[in-house]
Amino acid sequence: MKRNVMVGQSGGPTAAINASLAGIYITAKECGAKTVYGMLNGIQGLLEGRYIDLSEHVKDDLDAELLKRTPASFLGSCRYKLPAAEGNEEVYEKVFATLKELDIEVFIYIGGNDSMDTINKLSKYGQSVGSEIRFIGCPKTVDNDLALTDHTPGYGSAAKYIAISMKELIRDSFTIDFKQGMCTIVEIMGRDAGWLTGAAALSKDEDCDGPDLIYLPEVPFDIESFREKVKVLLAKKVSVVVAVSEGIHTADGTYVCELGNSVDFVDAFGHKQLSGTASYLAGYIANEFGCKTRAIEFSTLQRAGSHIASLTDTNEGYAAGRAAILAADEGKTGLMVVFERLSKHPYVCGTGLRDVDKIANDERVVPREWINEDGDYVTDEFLSYAKPLIRGELVPIMVNGLPKHLNVPDGLRERK
Amino acid sequence: MKRNVMVGQSGGPTAAINASLAGIYITAKECGAKTVYGMLNGIQGLLEGRYIDLSEHVKDDLDAELLKRTPASFLGSCRYKLPAAEGNEEVYEKVFATLKELDIEVFIYIGGNDSMDTINKLSKYGQSVGSEIRFIGCPKTVDNDLALTDHTPGYGSAAKYIAISMKELIRDSFTIDFKQGMCTIVEIMGRDAGWLTGAAALSKDEDCDGPDLIYLPEVPFDIESFREKVKVLLAKKVSVVVAVSEGIHTADGTYVCELGNSVDFVDAFGHKQLSGTASYLAGYIANEFGCKTRAIEFSTLQRAGSHIASLTDTNEGYAAGRAAILAADEGKTGLMVVFERLSKHPYVCGTGLRDVDKIANDERVVPREWINEDGDYVTDEFLSYAKPLIRGELVPIMVNGLPKHLNVPDGLRERK
């Protein structure tokens, strides 16, 4: 690598996305890159000419360690969907003109499905106009729903946050023995894939019962069956805890949160913003049984909880960034870094590369056989899969009782 | 101390309440107590004859360390209000008969305002019937609203959880530059006292803006003024973050959450269960400005987050338990352990004792002069007060990526 690198972050943040950025920056420098630019707010910011020189922010090894521990996307993010090249040539011309102007040799985009679509379109357009720029995708998503990879950086840390928080809230939930019992509904991220919700089961151990029921979006939700299960549990237990994915829906496709009329936002990709599932079900159970209920949403905390990030996850995030640069340095393009589980026991994971074409806009959900027959818990296979991903802690650098983060680049917090 | 000790936990849990229990157990043993009994579910469980021998659960030093790190009340809790002795002699006779049967010399109750009322009533009744049992209160509450003490064990850890989570969610909140901006409303515990909500300001540092606005229940909430402030902020910033106490109310005393009709529960003490303040205000702002909004409730996680407990807080919780036993060992009764700040810089804190009579049913709120004139932020004095309380971490004992807790005693999880 002799010239420059452009890197961007896209979609929802994770606790490992900046570990990938650190891996990209450090490896690019090792490979001889002159300048590593970071686009602010992804491809959308690049189109507006907004980018920074990363060396002005990551000045030494301590900064690199802080970057790994900084939650959310250090460079900012976007949900901009690159239009098809045909008929929108001016957008592509603008991107490539900027990249040429900055003498870019390698373009890395850290993101999920939609971001891989961007890499796919840019690399294809690049080939069509004879560009030599290499486009590589670096995976990231708390949802763990990218195709052709064993798992995705960001998932392990969010799963760890969920498992720890579940342990703590379950313990809290039975301290008081309410007359009619108590039912807590915990809403967890995951529109179509239940990987994160399933992680609630990781809390189960000799010191914790784990949640009593777990509902993933992969199986249609039946409210009658749910009510009967809760009824039986309430008769036995002081506290019943149920983990539900934000995306659970009935057999006819109606989201449970829509039953409570809480859908109020559709994003740039046409995805419904789901929220209110826990609150709807808590109200339902309170009405049915007169018991105390609590609705808890982990909300953005589950993806931003870098103070308890998984060391396995952040190390793998770093490795994914490193692999992306090494692939580009070898002249490869149009690929995404993937993870391959080389051994289950002991857990060993390596990186590979796959055509981004085969990954973009595809979605990997929890296999039906990893969910029990009743559709209200995950199986031991799911647990064996997820357990190694939450191991170890990237210990925060604590200053005055708070985790220290790398300072925010100018231009991210102000309205444009 | 030659005979036995009875200890109970009452009210809402905190991350430091079991550190106090550890301090009580270990110090009682050092002072010569034969058996340290723990009532299950507080005085309510004791009335039902439910208690355990703590030595069967805390068998060695590792167990004691696990106990300190276990979230929620290890012994379970209750919200049982002891009736006045007059006319309810049978309740008191039952308690004292059980204590006599178990050869109890010292009775310690770990709790907040309502629990100190229990200590007050029991010690007065005890004196009236010539009992020699000593009754000592050990303070505990995340709300930090106990009178006559500088602060209360449990507050520091909850404040630390809030400050860390605020840092993380604020960082997450400006990653995407939404067209009309975004406003996040974070709802924090505190019905009448804004100590916890004020702790949101601890997140402010060179790497974090902190919340933009903070509303405590000590100052009437004016929705017009709130709207204008948010409007100005939305014009400048990609993301506006507002911390609100669950107990904020308008000048006429209407809780903001009542504006959204979310009050659905009144507890045994007649306290309204408040929830829905963030959700109401987020809806309000979305309607007014058409921006994206998020409502986040830290819910029980803020009091159960022992994985990031403050070392200062848990050490002090332990010290409070120790001081309670030492006071009882000296023959004192009808007192509560308090904290005295012996020095501000450097922070030095010692324990003292105050008449429980003067503490019970009283409430200490944030002084008006520690809130700014506009009533939408805390002052530097508040920050100087709170900062030392979140310092240091009680590092969790991690096993397979999760914090290990002491196993739950039998009889807490099952319906009675």
Side-chain angles (χ1 to χ4, degrees):
Chain A
M1 212 174 284
K2 287 172 183 161
R3 295 179 291 133
N4 302 328
V5 171
M6 175 64 78
V7 55
Q9 297 173 314
S10 179
T14 81
I17 194 169
N18 294 329
S20 292
L21 184 60
I24 289 163
Y25 176 72
I26 291 167
T27 312
K29 285 292 186 181
E30 283 172 10
C31 289
K34 276 189 194 153
T35 303
V36 180
Y37 292 102
M39 41 191 124
L40 295 178
N41 295 114
I43 191 86
Q44 188 172 11
L46 187 67
L47 280 164
E48 295 160 2
R50 297 170 50 235
Y51 49 82
I52 57 173
D53 176 348
L54 267 170
S55 66
E56 290 172 13
H57 298 264
V58 187
K59 297 197 184 90
D60 52 29
D61 290 351
L62 177 58
D63 284 345
E65 288 302 322
L66 286 172
L67 176 59
K68 285 187 203 168
R69 288 160 173 83
T70 297
S73 312
F74 176 72
L75 297 169
S77 183
C78 67
R79 292 201 179 273
Y80 178 83
K81 192 164 173 75
L82 204 60
E86 213 182 299
N88 297 287
E89 287 78 5
E90 74 289 357
V91 175
Y92 289 78
E93 282 158 14
K94 196 166 182 186
V95 171
F96 279 80
T98 305
L99 298 181
K100 190 175 177 188
E101 192 189 312
L102 295 174
D103 203 20
I104 299 299
E105 187 179 354
V106 169
F107 181 110
I108 314 274
Y109 214 34
I110 313 173
N113 294 311
D114 297 318
S115 311
M116 294 311 133
D117 179 66
T118 298
I119 283 289
N120 197 22
K121 283 171 173 161
L122 287 175
S123 72
K124 284 192 174 150
Y125 180 87
Q127 282 160 358
S128 76
V129 297
S131 165
E132 286 182 356
I133 299 170
R134 278 92 76 194
F135 294 88
I136 302 284
C138 182
K140 162 278 354 170
T141 166
V142 290
D143 293 325
N144 200 39
D145 59 353
L146 284 175
L148 305 182
T149 180
D150 180 78
H151 60 281
T152 315
Y155 172 64
S157 292
K160 186 183 183 91
Y161 180 94
I162 289 164
I164 292 175
S165 299
M166 284 301 295
K167 272 194 90 158
E168 292 176 340
L169 76 84
I170 288 171
R171 190 83 180 210
D172 185 284
S173 73
F174 58 76
T175 49
I176 293 185
D177 183 4
F178 291 98
K179 258 189 185 164
Q180 316 289 333
M182 181 166 75
C183 182
T184 305
I185 317 277
V186 186
E187 180 172 333
I188 297 173
M189 281 182 174
R191 188 182 285 106
D192 301 310
W195 296 106
L196 280 181
T197 307
L202 295 170
S203 62
K204 192 172 179 171
D205 204 347
E206 61 176 351
D207 57 349
C208 178
D209 281 353
D212 298 290
L213 299 165
I214 300 178
Y215 293 102
L216 314 189
E218 282 82 354
V219 179
F221 182 75
D222 181 69
I223 201 154
E224 295 290 319
S225 145
F226 165 70
R227 190 188 55 199
E228 288 312 303
K229 299 249 178 187
V230 171
K231 188 180 178 181
V232 171
L233 286 161
L234 276 173
K236 288 190 293 189
K237 299 186 72 178
V238 165
S239 154
V240 177
V241 177
V242 184
V244 299
S245 158
E246 61 181 355
I248 54 168
H249 47 78
T250 57
D252 69 1
T254 309
Y255 285 115
V256 170
C257 63
E258 287 180 300
L259 302 173
N261 295 319
S262 295
V263 174
D264 54 355
F265 186 77
V266 175
D267 75 10
F269 296 100
H271 305 146
K272 279 181 185 170
Q273 292 296 292
L274 309 176
S275 161
T277 306
S279 154
Y280 172 77
L281 291 176
Y284 173 80
I285 290 296
N287 278 335
E288 290 290 314
F289 303 119
C291 61
K292 181 167 168 66
T293 58
R294 268 189 200 131
I296 296 181
E297 287 184 44
F298 287 152
S299 70
T300 53
L301 295 169
Q302 64 200 289
R303 70 184 188 198
S306 62
H307 73 274
I308 195 70
S310 155
L311 184 62
T312 301
D313 184 39
T314 46
N315 279 346
E316 289 178 351
Y318 187 94
R322 181 172 177 79
I325 286 291
L326 294 178
D329 196 42
E330 288 171 15
K332 290 169 177 154
T333 187
L335 301 172
M336 185 188 87
V337 175
V338 295
F339 288 151
E340 287 158 11
R341 196 175 295 223
L342 305 173
S343 159
K344 284 185 185 178
H345 306 288
Y347 170 77
V348 181
C349 178
T351 58
L353 294 161
R354 292 295 183 93
D355 262 357
V356 79
D357 208 3
K358 299 197 172 71
I359 293 165
N361 301 316
D362 196 2
E363 209 162 32
R364 192 176 60 101
V365 299
V366 178
R368 185 59 185 88
E369 62 271 23
W370 286 11
I371 306 168
N372 71 359
E373 210 180 312
D374 279 6
D376 57 20
Y377 222 84
V378 290
T379 65
D380 288 344
E381 276 169 299
F382 179 97
L383 293 173
S384 301
Y385 165 85
K387 273 183 182 172
L389 311 183
I390 68 165
R391 287 211 189 115
E393 293 74 48
L394 182 68
V395 181
I397 297 170
M398 302 298 286
V399 178
N400 294 326
L402 295 173
K404 185 77 188 156
H405 303 147
L406 196 59
N407 288 351
V408 183
D410 287 341
L412 277 185
R413 286 175 289 197
E414 305 80 23
R415 295 300 296 271
K416 264 60 75 179
Chain B
M1 212 173 284
K2 286 172 186 165
R3 296 178 290 132
N4 303 329
V5 172
M6 176 64 77
V7 54
Q9 298 174 313
S10 178
T14 80
I17 194 168
N18 293 329
S20 291
L21 183 60
I24 288 163
Y25 176 71
I26 291 169
T27 311
K29 285 291 186 184
E30 282 172 11
C31 289
K34 276 188 197 156
T35 303
V36 181
Y37 292 103
M39 43 191 123
L40 295 179
N41 296 114
I43 189 85
Q44 189 172 11
L46 187 67
L47 280 163
E48 295 159 2
R50 297 170 50 235
Y51 49 82
I52 57 173
D53 176 348
L54 267 170
S55 67
E56 290 173 13
H57 298 266
V58 186
K59 297 198 185 89
D60 53 28
D61 290 351
L62 178 57
D63 283 345
E65 288 303 321
L66 286 172
L67 177 60
K68 285 187 203 169
R69 288 159 174 84
T70 296
S73 311
F74 176 73
L75 297 169
S77 183
C78 68
R79 291 199 180 278
Y80 177 81
K81 192 165 173 73
L82 204 60
E86 213 181 300
N88 297 286
E89 286 78 6
E90 75 287 0
V91 174
Y92 288 79
E93 283 158 14
K94 194 165 184 188
V95 171
F96 278 81
T98 306
L99 298 182
K100 189 175 177 187
E101 189 188 313
L102 294 174
D103 202 18
I104 299 300
E105 185 178 356
V106 169
F107 181 109
I108 313 274
Y109 214 34
I110 313 173
N113 294 312
D114 296 318
S115 312
M116 294 312 133
D117 179 65
T118 297
I119 283 289
N120 196 22
K121 284 171 173 162
L122 288 175
S123 71
K124 284 192 173 151
Y125 179 86
Q127 282 162 359
S128 76
V129 296
S131 165
E132 285 182 358
I133 300 172
R134 279 91 78 192
F135 294 89
I136 301 283
C138 182
K140 161 285 345 173
T141 167
V142 292
D143 292 326
N144 201 38
D145 59 354
L146 284 176
L148 304 183
T149 180
D150 180 78
H151 59 281
T152 315
Y155 172 64
S157 292
K160 187 182 182 92
Y161 180 94
I162 289 164
I164 291 174
S165 298
M166 283 302 294
K167 271 194 89 159
E168 292 177 340
L169 77 84
I170 288 170
R171 190 81 180 213
D172 186 285
S173 73
F174 57 76
T175 49
I176 293 185
D177 184 4
F178 291 98
K179 258 188 186 165
Q180 316 289 334
M182 181 165 77
C183 182
T184 305
I185 316 278
V186 185
E187 181 172 332
I188 297 173
M189 282 181 173
R191 186 183 286 109
D192 302 311
W195 297 106
L196 280 180
T197 308
L202 295 170
S203 62
K204 192 171 180 174
D205 204 347
E206 60 176 352
D207 58 349
C208 179
D209 280 353
D212 298 291
L213 299 166
I214 300 178
Y215 292 102
L216 314 188
E218 282 82 354
V219 179
F221 182 74
D222 181 69
I223 201 155
E224 295 289 318
S225 145
F226 165 69
R227 189 188 58 199
E228 289 312 302
K229 299 250 178 186
V230 170
K231 187 180 180 182
V232 170
L233 286 161
L234 276 173
K236 287 190 294 188
K237 300 186 72 181
V238 165
S239 154
V240 178
V241 177
V242 184
V244 299
S245 157
E246 60 181 355
I248 56 168
H249 48 78
T250 56
D252 68 3
T254 309
Y255 285 116
V256 170
C257 63
E258 288 181 298
L259 302 172
N261 294 320
S262 296
V263 173
D264 52 356
F265 186 76
V266 175
D267 73 12
F269 296 100
H271 304 146
K272 279 182 185 170
Q273 291 297 294
L274 309 175
S275 160
T277 306
S279 152
Y280 173 75
L281 291 176
Y284 173 80
I285 290 295
N287 278 335
E288 290 290 313
F289 304 120
C291 61
K292 181 168 169 64
T293 58
R294 268 189 201 132
I296 296 180
E297 286 184 44
F298 287 151
S299 69
T300 52
L301 295 170
Q302 65 200 291
R303 70 184 188 197
S306 63
H307 73 275
I308 195 69
S310 156
L311 184 62
T312 300
D313 184 38
T314 46
N315 279 346
E316 290 177 352
Y318 187 94
R322 180 171 177 79
I325 286 292
L326 294 179
D329 197 41
E330 289 172 14
K332 291 170 177 154
T333 187
L335 300 172
M336 184 187 88
V337 176
V338 295
F339 288 150
E340 286 157 10
R341 197 175 297 223
L342 305 173
S343 160
K344 285 185 184 177
H345 307 287
Y347 170 77
V348 181
C349 178
T351 59
L353 295 161
R354 292 298 184 93
D355 262 357
V356 78
D357 208 5
K358 298 196 171 72
I359 292 164
N361 301 315
D362 196 2
E363 209 163 32
R364 193 178 58 103
V365 300
V366 178
R368 184 60 185 86
E369 62 271 24
W370 286 10
I371 306 169
N372 70 359
E373 211 181 310
D374 279 8
D376 58 20
Y377 221 85
V378 290
T379 65
D380 287 344
E381 275 169 299
F382 179 98
L383 293 174
S384 301
Y385 165 84
K387 272 183 183 174
L389 310 182
I390 68 165
R391 288 211 188 114
E393 293 75 46
L394 182 68
V395 182
I397 297 170
M398 303 297 288
V399 177
N400 293 326
L402 294 173
K404 185 78 187 154
H405 304 147
L406 196 60
N407 288 351
V408 183
D410 287 341
L412 277 185
R413 287 174 290 197
E414 305 79 23
R415 294 302 294 273
K416 262 62 73 180

